[in-house]
Amino acid sequence: MKSIIFLSITLFFSSFGYAQKSTDLNTDTGFSRKAHSIGLNAGGTSGLLFSYRYMPKKLGIQFAVLPTGNKQDFFGDLGITLLYKFHTSANNKVSFFNYIGNSFFYKYEELPGYKYEHLSWNIGLGYGIDIRAHERISFGFTVGWAGYDVRDDYAFYPDGSTYLFYRF
């Protein structure tokens, strides 16, 4: 298990060396210059449901939020993900990136004689691929490793997410 963790971390950080072929963070690496995106996201460390992404050049940030509940119960999720684009294909249709994701889940439930409240923090890192299906539509996937519920019952598992964005 330790060798898998070491290999994952080594591969993650080695991608930064590969990306040094074009180190200027102020140059666009593809897709047209549509820096803003809104859409849907589902991931253990990147958050759930409604998402906003801002990625003007190589560095970007993504937010995801899911609020749901009523008087007796509430479930909320807030995801914050940092992105680093390190390669774009020659035809500008496919882009590869690293991510570091944080997700905060909050669960509250109250019934007669019963009250439950829990805050969970998940953090992960890995790789992602962004595929441009149309001028303004992109979708993608991420894979990596994550620590789930790092505040209480720490667990280390593979991580992944998928998303669909409208770029503007």
Side-chain angles (χ1 to χ4, degrees), residues 38-165:
I38 57 171
L40 302 173
N41 183 70
T45 61
S46 60
L48 296 171
L49 207 53
F50 303 112
S51 293
Y52 169 77
R53 179 185 282 185
Y54 178 69
M55 194 154 187
K57 309 288 182 205
K58 286 185 158 198
L59 299 175
I61 190 163
Q62 176 180 309
F63 299 97
V65 63
L66 170 67
T68 179
N70 56 34
K71 283 185 176 183
Q72 280 85 24
D73 60 55
F74 175 81
F75 175 78
D77 174 48
L78 172 64
I80 302 168
T81 306
L82 299 175
L83 307 161
Y84 176 72
K85 190 182 329 181
F86 64 87
H87 180 73
T88 300
S89 67
N91 64 2
N92 293 331
K93 299 246 182 211
V94 179
S95 181
F96 297 93
F97 59 90
N98 296 108
Y99 75 93
I100 299 174
N102 286 279
S103 185
F104 302 93
F105 292 96
Y106 178 73
K107 171 84 173 151
Y108 175 80
E109 187 174 5
E110 186 173 346
L111 299 170
Y114 174 77
K115 184 177 178 181
Y116 175 78
E117 186 174 19
H118 183 73
L119 176 64
S120 174
W121 176 33
N122 304 333
I123 185 168
L125 57 91
Y127 298 100
I129 182 170
D130 190 65
I131 302 165
R132 186 173 76 178
H134 187 269
E135 177 66 24
R136 295 189 179 269
I137 305 294
S138 68
F139 67 94
F141 311 94
T142 64
V143 293
W145 287 98
Y148 290 91
D149 202 4
V150 297
R151 290 183 51 232
D152 295 326
D153 302 324
Y154 185 78
F156 193 68
Y157 295 112
D159 180 44
S161 71
T162 185
Y163 60 86
L164 176 67
F165 279 118

